[in-house]
Amino acid sequence: MVPRYSRPRMTAIWSPVNRYRIWFEIEALACEALARRGDIPQEAARVIRTKGDAAMAAFSDADLARIDEIEAETRHDVIAFLTWLAEKIGPESRFVHLGMTSSDVLDSCLAVQLTQAADLLLEDMDAVLAALKKRAYEHRETVTIGRSHGIHAEPTSFGLKLAGHYAEFARNRRRLETAREEIAVCAISGAVGTYAHIDPEIELYVAEHLGVKAETISSQVIPRDRHAAFFCTLGVIASSIERLAVEVRHLQRSEVREAEEFFHAGQKGSSAMPHKRNPVLSENLTGLARLVRSYVIPALENVALWHERDISHSSVERNICPDGTIVLDFALGRLASMMEKLVIYPDQMLANVESLGGVVHSGEVLLTLARAGISREDSYKIVQRAAMATWTKLGQKEGRTFRENLENDPDVSGRIDKAVIDDALDPARHLRAVDTIFKRVFEE
């Protein structure tokens, strides 16, 4: 992924240095397990660990270049690494990779890297959740208009809007925990996964020390349904990011202006129009979400490998694993910061609630008339008549508010007490369940 959308901690997981360190750790652990069983000399395992650790601690660009040089000849990345490692270890290197196949190293390493990536993404999710919770409580009683089909519906609270997004990201966090658990498996089972040349005990030892589990059954590769589920989870998280980003983009529109991204001192919105304050962060998040979702289909297509293995998945994963996790890490970090600093305009929200002359309270008035003894069908006609009279003359001299049209309607005048209408037109009615909803979202 390009540096513009990368953060150092996640990028480091996918660096060659980290990959080779994990490769060595897998090989060294396997040697230790073999030595415990008496399959190789204890002293050989000690030398492999000591000299290998030293080589990895001193790993430099020259070492990276040497591995690349070997691979240019062998056309095999694992063999190139093992050859370099043998140069560092000496004669005892003959016990390295004993009974193993390349996929044992590659797949187990990928499991560790994806687990490391998932841990960072879980931290990112916590930051998003903290920001949403803080702002939700801050605006739990800030009245704003709810919209359906992009049209004013009924009042809600801005805190409830944010609580809804919090609940969604909380679900996503649980999904990611499940995906992390499912991807955290290693396989040290040898060619076609039969353990013909290496005992299953070795796999269990390596898995325990890597902090993962042993794959239940591998076919020389770890089954790719695990990876597909992982990337599907990343795709769902990306869609949740986009949903919140689109909300912010709409609220920042000039004719809405209920909220906007923080505008830094010295920031410029347009090269041609100095007045512009654009929702660039949320637009960027929308684009990044598209990228993450684009990795889902290749991950799903990787599931159907030929027989016990092929490598059609390899080139895909070399791209989507680093890029998908790096992009999502960046996006979650940006989202958390954006929501922490989001500028809210409660007065504009309230003004928008009443901008249609009160027609957004039509639903409560409908129920009020029905409770007063008017049939629901007749109540609907009365309320719609008053609402349309208000709507069609908004901003005109002869225009009247929804209340005025109701009070002048012969089917309402004298039948409904003004205090009852006052109550029906009170936006606070729509906040009565806020505490109940907040308890469900934040405490259960």
Side-chain angles (χ1 to χ4, degrees):
M1 181 49 56
V2 296
R4 185 182 184 92
Y5 303 123
S6 306
R7 298 200 294 179
R9 286 206 302 167
M10 185 63 82
T11 302
I13 290 173
W14 302 104
S15 69
V17 175
N18 189 52
R19 181 173 71 253
Y20 290 141
R21 282 174 179 162
I22 298 170
W23 284 12
F24 169 70
E25 188 64 21
I26 293 167
E27 298 286 3
L29 288 171
C31 288
E32 290 170 3
L34 288 167
R36 284 162 59 95
R37 284 174 48 85
D39 294 338
I40 69 172
Q42 290 279 355
E43 178 62 16
R46 188 193 66 78
V47 170
I48 291 166
R49 168 62 74 181
T50 301
K51 291 188 175 180
D53 278 342
M56 294 312 305
F59 196 89
S60 66
D61 290 343
D63 294 297
L64 186 59
R66 174 58 181 151
I67 295 173
D68 290 343
E69 178 186 13
I70 299 169
E71 186 178 355
E73 178 182 349
T74 63
R75 300 295 196 272
H76 196 293
D77 54 355
V78 175
I79 292 177
F81 173 75
L82 293 174
T83 302
W84 170 85
L85 189 61
E87 294 174 351
K88 300 293 182 179
I89 291 174
E92 289 81 3
S93 64
R94 69 185 184 276
F95 297 113
V96 175
H97 206 67
L98 206 64
M100 295 169 59
T101 186
S102 298
S103 291
D104 292 336
V105 179
L106 294 170
D107 278 11
S108 298
C109 175
L110 182 58
V112 172
Q113 288 176 297
L114 288 173
T115 303
Q116 292 173 342
D119 287 339
L120 288 187
L121 293 174
L122 287 167
E123 289 183 24
D124 296 339
M125 297 282 280
D126 288 338
V128 171
L129 289 166
L132 288 172
K133 182 176 182 178
K134 177 184 175 184
R135 302 311 300 272
Y137 272 97
E138 180 184 344
H139 292 282
R140 63 190 297 169
E141 295 183 358
T142 298
V143 175
T144 189
I145 191 64
R147 296 173 174 91
S148 57
H149 306 278
I151 306 300
H152 285 202
E154 290 191 351
T156 181
S157 93
F158 193 65
L160 282 178
K161 276 180 175 279
L162 296 179
H165 288 283
Y166 176 96
E168 184 172 336
F169 276 99
R171 292 191 295 273
N172 283 331
R173 194 189 192 286
R174 293 191 292 271
R175 291 175 181 127
L176 184 56
E177 288 175 338
T178 299
R180 181 200 183 281
E181 180 181 359
E182 191 169 345
I183 203 68
V185 295
C186 79
I188 308 293
S189 54
V192 302
T194 62
Y195 303 98
H197 311 294
I198 194 164
D199 194 275
E201 286 184 16
I202 310 303
E203 181 180 63
L204 292 173
Y205 181 89
V206 173
E208 179 184 356
H209 287 77
L210 287 179
V212 298
K213 295 180 181 179
E215 173 58 66
T216 308
I217 176 171
S218 56
S219 60
Q220 188 161 328
V221 295
I222 292 173
R224 257 45 194 181
D225 63 288
R226 294 181 180 274
H227 304 73
F230 186 88
F231 277 91
C232 284
T233 300
L234 300 193
V236 173
I237 295 170
S239 292
S240 296
I241 291 173
E242 183 176 12
R243 187 171 85 88
L244 181 49
V246 167
E247 180 73 16
V248 172
R249 289 169 62 188
H250 172 75
L251 297 180
Q252 188 162 337
R253 288 168 54 196
S254 303
E255 61 271 29
V256 178
R257 202 169 175 268
E258 294 178 0
E260 68 174 348
E261 297 171 7
F262 181 77
F263 201 77
H264 295 266
Q267 183 175 342
K268 304 293 190 294
S270 167
S271 62
M273 298 167 283
H275 73 279
K276 294 297 290 299
R277 295 162 68 100
N278 301 325
V280 293
L281 300 179
S282 46
E283 289 174 342
N284 172 254
L285 289 173
T286 296
L288 295 179
R290 293 170 184 166
L291 271 181
V292 176
R293 284 197 301 272
S294 74
Y295 304 136
V296 174
I297 295 299
L300 289 169
E301 292 177 340
N302 275 353
V303 175
L305 301 179
W306 282 21
H307 308 300
E308 278 60 56
R309 74 161 295 197
D310 65 47
I311 63 165
S312 60
H313 63 290
S314 177
S315 57
V316 174
E317 290 171 354
R318 288 174 192 264
N319 284 278
I320 70 172
C321 291
D323 284 7
T325 54
I326 288 171
V327 169
L328 190 59
D329 169 64
F330 180 89
L332 287 168
R334 171 155 287 183
L335 181 65
S337 177
M338 184 180 78
M339 296 312 297
E340 287 171 1
K341 300 174 182 177
L342 191 69
V343 181
I344 314 297
Y345 298 111
D347 290 342
Q348 183 62 33
M349 289 180 176
L350 190 58
N352 285 345
V353 169
E354 299 301 337
S355 64
L356 300 183
V359 299
V360 295
H361 304 293
S362 67
E364 186 59 37
V365 174
L366 170 63
L367 298 176
T368 298
L369 296 184
R371 294 189 194 102
I374 303 174
S375 71
R376 194 183 190 285
E377 291 74 14
D378 289 341
S379 296
Y380 195 101
K381 291 177 182 178
I382 294 167
V383 175
Q384 188 177 46
R385 185 165 64 225
M388 293 304 103
T390 306
W391 183 284
T392 56
K393 294 188 180 299
L394 281 172
Q396 300 178 27
K397 289 183 179 180
E398 65 274 22
R400 294 190 295 189
T401 65
F402 181 52
R403 172 196 289 276
E404 291 169 338
N405 282 320
L406 276 173
E407 292 176 342
N408 284 281
D409 191 299
D411 291 325
V412 176
S413 180
R415 299 180 66 178
I416 308 296
D417 189 274
K418 288 188 176 182
V420 174
I421 294 179
D422 285 342
D423 186 54
L425 298 177
D426 184 0
R429 292 186 62 88
H430 300 273
L431 307 186
R432 291 179 176 180
V434 166
D435 289 345
T436 299
I437 298 172
F438 266 54
K439 185 175 182 180
R440 289 177 182 173
V441 172
F442 297 110
E443 297 179 24
E444 294 183 359

